[in-house]
Amino acid sequence: MPELDGIMSQFTAELGEADNERALDDLRVRYLGKKGLVTAQFKKLGELSPQERPARGAELNLLKERVQEKIERRRAQLQSAQLSKPTLDLTMPGRQPQVGRLHPLAQIEQRIRSIFRSMGFTVETGPEIETDYYNFTALNTPEWHPARDEADTFYIDDDRLLRTETSPVQIRVLERGHLPVRMIAPGRVYRKDKPDPTHFPVFHQVEGLYVDRGVTFADLKGTLLHFYRQLFGSETELRFRPHYFPFTEPSAEVDASCYLCKGAGCRICKGNGWLEMGGSGMVDPNVLEAVGIDSEKWTGYAFGLGIERIAMIWYGIDDIRLFYENDLRFLRQF
Ligand SMILES: [Zn+2]
């Protein structure tokens, strides 16, 4: 029958284009489904005379069988092609591994640690949640001192707070009673500062302490000079400006000559040739006596410096908030 031949050749053409199982399923529905082309021919059998019907029925059954058989054969072909497809292509270029690196603040901290270690300092750590005693009282901070103000300090309850500096670690180490002590305490500190280009409520400090027999201000100066020359270059000079800190007496602010312009004035040092680096001084005898150390026999010096401050100076960064935003475009530069 020409009509059935037409259906068969149309089917054969469409079968050749069905290159996946889903297309094959669609094809089966289009020919053998309830409204399929072959099914429609079966429905027409009723219009024929009883004499014509058996021959036509036999032809249709044959057509249906051939369509079914061809679809199944094609399905088997597709499945075996899928199985033999290689899952691993060894000729593909490899994936570039993502190489991480340390945060710029961690890099600076490591540099600071290694310079002080080379001078015989140990690295000590302590809790970030401190008591009022370790954070203020033991450091000789008077009750009236503004640092104790609730507006400046994150208090947890009446006695506990987030440490405002890493100096409490010095008290904890001195309390062990093993002298001499030569240590630095790097770590995170907290203050109620509103974030702006130079302030952030969390930042990093390094406190240093040396207690031994006969330690003088000259030792402090020599140690810091060596440190800053290692950090910023061998031409670096220091100047000490008298200051007040509860923990030390006498006390001084330390400035380093600008590593970039060598004192001539530039963007980094805001034109004045010097960089403010942090506080320092001789440990107040009251602090030593409070932890049971005889201040007639032992003397010491202490100093502090800011890791963010050094990183901003060294890398020429003008906004402290960039360190904490975790923006990879910023971090990848270091
Ligand atoms: Zn400068």
Side-chain angles (χ1 to χ4, degrees):
M1 291 282 294
E3 202 180 359
L4 298 192
D5 289 345
I7 291 175
M8 193 61 209
S9 60
Q10 189 191 336
F11 169 76
T12 307
E14 289 183 28
L15 184 70
E17 282 168 25
D19 55 1
N20 59 63
E21 291 201 51
R22 189 172 176 166
L24 212 52
D25 283 336
D26 290 345
L27 192 64
R28 190 180 52 76
V29 170
R30 199 151 61 244
Y31 283 86
L32 304 178
K34 272 186 187 168
K35 293 178 181 170
L37 293 173
V38 176
T39 315
Q41 294 297 323
F42 276 102
K43 285 178 184 164
K44 282 189 191 167
L45 279 177
E47 297 164 13
L48 297 177
S49 66
Q51 292 80 7
E52 290 171 308
R53 227 175 274 161
R56 178 69 165 177
E59 272 182 335
L60 279 175
N61 277 329
L62 188 64
L63 175 67
K64 185 180 171 186
E65 270 170 36
R66 286 174 62 200
V67 166
Q68 266 172 339
E69 192 189 304
K70 281 179 180 247
I71 286 177
E72 289 319 311
R73 198 181 301 156
R74 181 87 180 119
R75 191 186 304 280
Q77 272 176 3
L78 287 174
Q79 283 171 347
S80 77
Q82 187 64 33
L83 285 176
S84 62
K85 211 183 257 178
T87 52
L88 178 65
D89 183 354
L90 296 173
T91 63
M92 291 263 289
R95 280 194 199 117
Q96 187 87 28
Q98 293 261 0
V99 180
R101 70 196 80 189
L102 288 174
H103 191 279
L105 295 177
Q107 292 182 33
I108 293 289
E109 190 190 312
Q110 285 200 346
R111 179 102 185 90
I112 293 169
R113 282 172 184 239
S114 88
I115 296 171
F116 280 109
R117 277 217 186 95
S118 75
M119 291 191 279
F121 283 73
T122 60
V123 176
E124 308 286 348
T125 56
E128 290 179 24
I129 295 176
E130 266 298 1
T131 62
D132 182 88
Y133 173 77
Y134 282 106
N135 198 79
F136 293 125
T137 310
L139 292 164
N140 208 32
T141 313
E143 290 295 334
W144 50 262
H145 196 275
R148 284 179 180 253
D149 197 327
E150 287 197 22
D152 297 322
T153 303
F154 290 105
Y155 280 92
I156 291 166
D157 52 34
D158 283 348
D159 188 43
R160 290 178 302 166
L161 48 85
L162 296 181
R163 67 182 181 190
T164 58
E165 45 199 350
T166 58
S167 314
V169 181
Q170 300 173 346
I171 302 299
R172 291 177 178 277
V173 171
L174 287 176
E175 277 182 344
R176 292 183 206 151
H178 306 305
L179 293 175
V181 162
R182 200 199 310 242
M183 57 158 279
I184 56 166
R188 220 176 262 137
V189 299
Y190 303 85
R191 292 188 199 168
K192 269 192 191 171
D193 283 329
K194 220 174 165 193
D196 70 20
T198 53
H199 296 88
F200 206 75
V202 186
F203 56 102
H204 299 77
Q205 276 196 333
V206 178
E207 304 275 335
L209 174 74
Y210 178 34
V211 177
D212 202 342
R213 292 177 196 271
V215 176
T216 69
F217 206 99
D219 296 311
L220 169 63
K221 195 174 173 185
T223 302
L224 288 182
L225 188 62
H226 178 76
F227 168 73
Y228 283 110
R229 283 182 173 174
Q230 292 284 307
L231 192 65
F232 289 144
S234 58
E235 290 163 43
T236 304
E237 295 297 338
L238 293 185
R239 79 179 177 189
F240 290 76
R241 285 178 291 110
H243 201 79
Y244 166 76
F245 300 111
F247 180 68
T248 47
E249 177 63 34
S251 304
E253 288 266 24
V254 183
D255 297 344
S257 58
C258 178
Y259 70 92
L260 194 61
C261 64
K262 316 286 181 217
C266 71
R267 184 179 68 88
I268 296 287
C269 57
K270 307 233 160 41
N272 68 26
W274 292 93
L275 301 161
E276 287 183 26
M277 299 312 306
S280 69
M282 300 305 291
V283 179
D284 193 304
N286 291 338
V287 172
L288 296 176
E289 297 289 344
V291 290
I293 293 172
D294 184 348
S295 63
E296 295 294 322
K297 286 186 188 160
W298 303 90
T299 52
Y301 64 70
F303 57 86
L305 41 98
I307 294 177
E308 278 82 353
R309 169 90 181 130
I310 291 174
M312 288 170 82
I313 288 171
W314 188 243
Y315 294 124
I317 295 163
D318 53 14
D319 194 328
I320 195 172
R321 293 170 293 190
L322 290 167
F323 289 124
Y324 316 109
E325 285 171 354
N326 288 335
D327 186 336
L328 290 177
R329 290 169 300 179
F330 171 75
L331 296 175
R332 282 202 179 108
Q333 297 174 60
F334 307 100

